[in-house]
Structure formats: C-alpha cells, structure tokens
C-alpha cells in the first residue's frame, strides 16, 4: 500500500517537473522574443541632439552669453527616416561671475531619452588699465628728484586697484606695474620731463622799426623761433598787438613763444604809420557856391552836364558805381572840368559800415573806378550819409571816429554840406529844391550845396539856381583839395 502511494507521488512530481520545465522554457522563449523586439524597436528609434555652435565656449568676464540652442531628431535605424522633436534646455550662465557653467540639452520619445552638454567658461583675461596723471607746468629740474604726479589703476573685474600699483624710477622714466586677481598684469611708463631752463631764441625777420604811409597795407615780416630741446617753434609764435594802417600812429607788435617747459622768449617791433599831409585850404573869396551832386552818375547826369555847360559853371560829383550803365559819364564829367570825387562803390550802408576794413575796401574800389575812367586819382570824398550819420551805429558803433581819422591821415579831404536841397527826403519838386537851395545860400558866405543827380526834379532845379546865383553876384566853383571843408559837428 505504501509502495503504491510512493509510486503515485513520484509520478506526480515527475509530471510536475515536466510541466515546470516546459513553462520555464516558454517563459524564456517569450523573454528572448521580447528582448529581440526591444532591440529592433530601439534600433528603429535613435534620438540625435545636434548643438548649434561649439560644445565648449570661452567668454570674457562681463561678455553676454547668447544661447545658440540645439536641434533634436528621431531617426529610424531600419528605414532611415527621421523627424524633429522638442528638447529641453537646463542651466544658466552668469557672465558677471567667473567660473564654468554647464548647459544640458534633453530630448525624450516614449521611454527613450538622449542628452548633450555645452560647457561655458567665464574668464578674466583683460589686463587692468593704468592711467597716469600730469600736472600742467610741472617739470623736474636737472638733478632733482621726481615727485609723483599721480596715477590710477582700474580693472574690469576687480575695479579700482590703484593701491596695488608698484613703481620704480630708472634712467629718466618711472615704471608702473599692477596685477589683478586673475593674474593679468599691466605696465606703464612715464617719461620724466626735465626743464632745460634755456628759453627759445626769437629772431625778427626785417627791421625792429618800420615806417609806412597811412593807407599803405602793412605786411608783417614775422619772425623765426628755435629751441634747443623742441627744435623749430616758428609756427607756435603768437603776435600780440595789431597795426591799423589806415590811421596814423605808432603801433607795437610783440612776438611771444614758449617751449614745452614754459620758458618764454619775446621780441618787439615798432610800426609807425605816417600821415599823408593834406593840402592847405585857401580862402576862395566871398559869395562862393559849390554845387555838389551825390550818388551818380545816372540817367539824368547828361542833362545836368548840358545845363552846367550852358552857363560855364563847374560842379563836383561825388560818384558811385551803383549804376553800371552810366559809369562812362565820369569821363565826361572830368573832361568838362568838373571835380570827380569819391562817394562809395556800392552805397550799401550795411556793407561799408560793417567794419573799418570794409569801408576802406569800398573806398579803394571807387577810387580805382574813377582812375580807370578819368586817368586821375582824387583825394576828395564824402561819406555816405555824411560824417554825422547815425545809421553806421547800427552796424559798427563808433566807426565814424576811426574813419575820419583814417581818411584825414591818408591825405583825403572829406566834405559834408551846409546847404541841403532836401531832394533826399522832404521835398519832391524842382520848386522846393530851388527854394531850399537859395534860402540856404543866402545864409552862408561859402556854401556847399547837397543835391543828387539821380533825382530828375533836383536836376530840373539847377538852371534856376545858377541863374539866381549869377544874378545875385555869386561865384560857382568846383571843390578841390584847397577848398574850405564843411564838416558836420557831433560825428560819431
């Protein structure tokens, strides 16, 4: 009985062993199959991450880090097909802090993942900057010790590191050195400037005293300057003073030059502007009338010349070049025995009274025009608006005083008037002009009459004025350099 039970139990175990062995083999078979499938799946899903830019980057301290990103793709290893997938970027870079930073790029698909890294190094390789200070006018005398003028040292990372600067003096220079916390070293050299105590040498070109006539343009001969240390300093010479060659007087010019050490040399030149002697005035007698006409020649000048010729009366024309078509009339005026004098080339108040130089340039232009038309120079002139005009104050206050000194110093005789026809304003008919002139003439023994030959109504009154004057014992004369001058008072 017991043997039968043992046999049965043995058979059962044997059967169970057979069953377990089959199951185990099936299990392993399934496991192997799964593994094969996983390998095949894995080969068909390859995740690739490609960084944009370098895998390792070196940046200078403070230089901004710009993320260049990356791309992630899944590639089927069996078919070769691929597609892009999203990725995640972890990590930051602080360019204000030295160190090494790691940026990680992750990509995931199902239970497959991949990652790449980029390493960023923030370094300080910039040397500090040493700036030397200089005290103006500080020089070291030969044999003396150099006194430090000052310096600063600034580092891009450490900031102010002036206190870390070391220096030493050698062979006429001071050498400075400083190292920042990153080991970057800066050096600087200061050349010590020694004062030679010897000033430059100034040499005048030309004479120390020069004389010219008033109105003759003064051209300075200048000077040369040389220094043992600096060499040629001619272009650094400064001239103090000026020569107003329009106005007689004695002028001082001072030439100054400095070398790099502040040593100064000076020279002086005296320029004497000699006046041109004016002609002496002559008493023309009693009951004298000088008819003068401004602003021409113009369209009515020929009519005026005809009237004057009819009565053999000579007049004075203070001319301009304003009316280009009538400039040849100056020759006719001169040929008829009239005085051709200077008024203005332009008669532009804003221009001629803008400066002393502008006035005399305008005067010279009209003088040249008269010479070109008549073959003679004249020393007779009348200021536009007269010597007492106030309009010049608008453009250059006080200019009339200088101009009067200038023209007299150059030998000119300037004439104002003591009888006004009123044709420049206030009247507009020949009758008014006639009455104004004869009334004025009766008030003076010597009359200088102001009219304008560019005004027809004024020219129309001339014949009546002459007839009246001759009938009443007056003599009509042209102005010359000996004529008595009529000057307005209160000129500016």
């Amino acid at each position: 009985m017991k043997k039968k039970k043992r046999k049965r139990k043995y058979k059962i175990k044997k059967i169970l062993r057979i069953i377990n062995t089959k199951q185990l083999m099936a299990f392993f078979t399934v496991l192997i199959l799964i593994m094969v499938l996983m390998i095949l799946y894995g080969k068909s899903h390859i995740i690739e991450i490609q960084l944009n830019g370098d895998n390792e980057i070196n940046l200078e301290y403070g230089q901004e880090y710009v993320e260049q990103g990356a791309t992630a793709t899944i590639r089927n290893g069996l078919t070769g097909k691929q597609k892009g997938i999203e990725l995640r970027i972890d990590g930051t870079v602080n360019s204000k802090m030295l160190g090494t930073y790691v940026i990680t790029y992750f990509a995931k698909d199902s239970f497959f993942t991949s990652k790449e890294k980029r390493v960023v190094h923030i370094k300080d390789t910039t040397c500090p900057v040493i700036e030397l200070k200089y005290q103006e006018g500080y020089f070291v005398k030969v044999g003396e010790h150099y006194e430090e003028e000052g310096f600063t040292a600034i580092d891009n990372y450490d900031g102010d590191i002036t206190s870390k600067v070391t220096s030493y003096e050698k062979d006429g220079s001071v050498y400075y050195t400083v190292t920042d916390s990153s080991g970057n070293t800066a050096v600087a050299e200061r050349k010590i400037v020694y004062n030679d105590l010897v000033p430059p040498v100034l040499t005048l070109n030309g004479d120390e005293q020069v004389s010219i006539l008033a109105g003759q343009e003064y051209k300075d001969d200048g000077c040369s300057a040389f220094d043992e240390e600096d060499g040629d300093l001619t272009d650094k010479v400064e001239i103090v003073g000026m020569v107003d060659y329009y106005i007689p007087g004695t002028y001082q010019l001072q030439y100054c030059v400095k070398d790099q050490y502040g040593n100064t040399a000076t020279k002086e030149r005296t320029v004497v502007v000699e006046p041109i002697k004016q002609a002496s005035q002559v008493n023309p007698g009693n009951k004298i009338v000088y008819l003068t006409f401004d602003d021409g020649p113009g369209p009515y000048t020929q009519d005026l010349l005809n009237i004057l010729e009819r009565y053999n009366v000579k007049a004075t024309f203070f001319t301009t070049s304003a009316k280009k078509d009538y400039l040849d009339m100056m020759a006719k005026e001169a040929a008829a025995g009239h005085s051709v004098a200077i008024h203005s080339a332009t008669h532009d108040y804003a221009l001629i009274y803008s400066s002393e130089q502008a006035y005399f340039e305008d005067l010279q232009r009209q003088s040249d025009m008269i010479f070109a038309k008549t073959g003679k120079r004249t020393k007779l002139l009348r200021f536009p608006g007269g010597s007492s005009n106030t309009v010049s104050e608008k453009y250059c206050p006080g200019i009339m005083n200088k101009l009067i000194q200038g023209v007299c110093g150059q030998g000119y005789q300037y004439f104002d008037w003591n009888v006004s026809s009123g044709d420049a304003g206030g009247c507009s008919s020949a009758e008014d002009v006639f009455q104004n002139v004869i009334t004025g003439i009766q008030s003076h023994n010597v009359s200088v009459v102001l009219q304008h030959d560019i005004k027809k109504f004024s020219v129309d009154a001339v014949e009546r004025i002459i007839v009246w004057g001759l009938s009443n014992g007056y003599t009509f004369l042209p102005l010359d350099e000996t004529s008595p001058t009529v000057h307005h008072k209160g000129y500016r």
Side-chain angles (χ1 to χ4, degrees), residues 209-211 242-244 247-253 269-275:
Q209 182 157 332
V210 178
S211 294
M242 62 166 289
V243 177
D244 189 344
I247 299 177
T250 300
Y251 300 88
Q252 297 292 335
L253 297 179
R269 192 195 313 271
T270 301
V271 181
V272 179
V273 180
E274 302 281 358

Side-chain angles (χ1 to χ4, degrees), residues 105-140:
Y105 304 83
F106 293 95
K108 183 178 180 181
D109 182 65
S110 185
F111 51 85
F112 292 96
T113 62
S114 181
K115 66 180 180 179
E116 286 289 345
K117 293 181 179 180
R118 192 197 310 271
V119 178
V120 180
H121 304 283
I122 303 298
K123 299 180 177 181
D124 173 23
T125 62
T126 302
C127 294
V129 176
I130 299 175
E131 182 176 345
L132 303 181
K133 296 182 179 180
Y134 294 88
Q135 297 178 18
E136 185 176 355
Y138 174 69
F139 303 102
V140 181

Side-chain angles (χ1 to χ4, degrees), residues 206-275:
D207 299 328
E208 291 187 4
Q209 182 157 332
V210 178
S211 294
I212 62 171
L213 291 175
Q216 176 186 344
E217 185 178 359
Y218 174 72
K219 293 183 179 180
D220 191 69
D221 292 328
C223 67
S224 61
F226 183 81
D227 184 74
E228 291 182 357
E229 293 290 332
D230 296 354
D232 190 352
L233 293 177
T234 302
D235 61 345
K236 294 188 177 180
V237 175
E238 295 182 357
I239 302 177
V240 180
M242 62 166 289
V243 177
D244 189 344
Y245 55 86
Y246 298 117
I247 299 177
T250 300
Y251 300 88
Q252 297 292 335
L253 297 179
Q254 187 177 66
Y255 306 82
C256 306
V257 68
K258 283 184 179 181
D259 64 17
Q260 63 175 316
Y261 309 106
N263 299 310
T264 303
T266 61
K267 282 281 188 180
E268 289 188 350
R269 192 195 313 271
T270 301
V271 181
V272 179
V273 180
E274 302 281 358

